[in-house]
Every structure is written in C-alpha cells, then in structure tokens.
Amino acid sequence: QVQLVESGGGLVQPGGSLRLSCAASGFTFRDYDMKWYRQAPGKERELVAWITPAATSTNYDGAVKGRFTISRDDAKKTMYLQMNSLKPEDTAVYYCNAVFSLRFGTRDYWGQGTQVTVAS
C-alpha cells in the first residue's frame, strides 16, 4: 500500500523556521521525482520545490528560493523541506507528491498534507 505521510507543520512566528518531512512507503522511493506543493485558502495548489532521483537536481519557486531547501534521504525513504525566514504568505497546507515518468504519462502519489501557519 502506497503511503506518503507529511509531518512537521505547525504555528511559527514570522522569521522562524520549520522542517517538514514526507515519509514514503509502498513504492520505490529512489526512482521518483519528489515535490512539495502548497495550497493557501482560496488559492490554487502551487509547486514549491522539486528534487530529482538521487538529488541530482533541485528546483524552487521564486517566492521561496533562498529560504527553503528541499532534500531527500533515499535510505530512509523520506523527503524534507527546510523552511527558513518564514513569512505570513507562506501559510498554507503543504503536500508532498511523488512522480514517476512512464512511457505514456506519469504515476503519481499524494500525501494528505500538513498545515503551516506563519503568524505573530
């Protein structure tokens, strides 16, 4: 059974830090691109950060570049998002996503999300 379980969310003051984790099971984690998305109230889900298999490449949305760091530990089948210098506009539900490219399309899995609230 495939599972992606996010953890590490919570309430933090502006300027603070949080580290999100996404624990995977039920699929070959190391072969998948892993992504963090977020969705704020009333807004569409947006891609925040992306890491390729073996961490050969990382990519970030411009709004978080320089503040967030995505990483993965294939031995632990876990992806992380270190979030520093948090701003109120970072408030959202954060989701992890695993994507595997097939010949015709993709196979992807989603977690249930973890709430991040940045407020004083």
Side-chain angles (χ1 to χ4, degrees):
Q1 182 182 1
V2 172
Q3 278 194 311
L4 289 173
V5 180
E6 301 96 335
S7 62
L11 173 63
V12 63
Q13 292 187 343
S17 298
L18 283 174
R19 189 175 84 151
L20 305 184
S21 299
C22 171
S25 60
F27 63 97
T28 310
F29 179 81
R30 66 178 180 272
D31 291 340
Y32 280 66
D33 288 276
M34 297 297 298
K35 303 179 181 181
W36 285 102
Y37 283 80
R38 67 185 180 187
Q39 187 166 20
K43 295 188 177 182
E44 293 188 355
R45 192 171 296 189
E46 62 179 4
L47 178 61
V48 174
W50 178 1
I51 187 166
T52 55
T56 54
S57 178
T58 58
N59 294 279
Y60 299 91
D61 179 80
V64 308
K65 197 169 187 177
R67 299 188 297 121
F68 290 10
T69 302
I70 190 171
S71 61
R72 64 191 295 162
D73 184 332
D74 289 346
K76 294 183 178 179
K77 297 183 180 180
T78 302
M79 173 178 65
Y80 304 96
L81 186 68
Q82 178 66 43
M83 305 187 295
N84 298 329
S85 302
L86 283 161
K87 304 175 181 180
E89 51 263 44
D90 295 318
T91 295
V93 179
Y94 284 70
Y95 298 91
C96 69
N97 171 236
V99 181
F100 183 79
S101 296
L102 303 171
R103 185 174 181 183
F104 300 105
T106 61
R107 179 187 302 138
D108 65 328
Y109 308 117
W110 290 89
Q112 293 300 305
T114 186
Q115 176 70 48
V116 171
T117 302
V118 185
S120 54

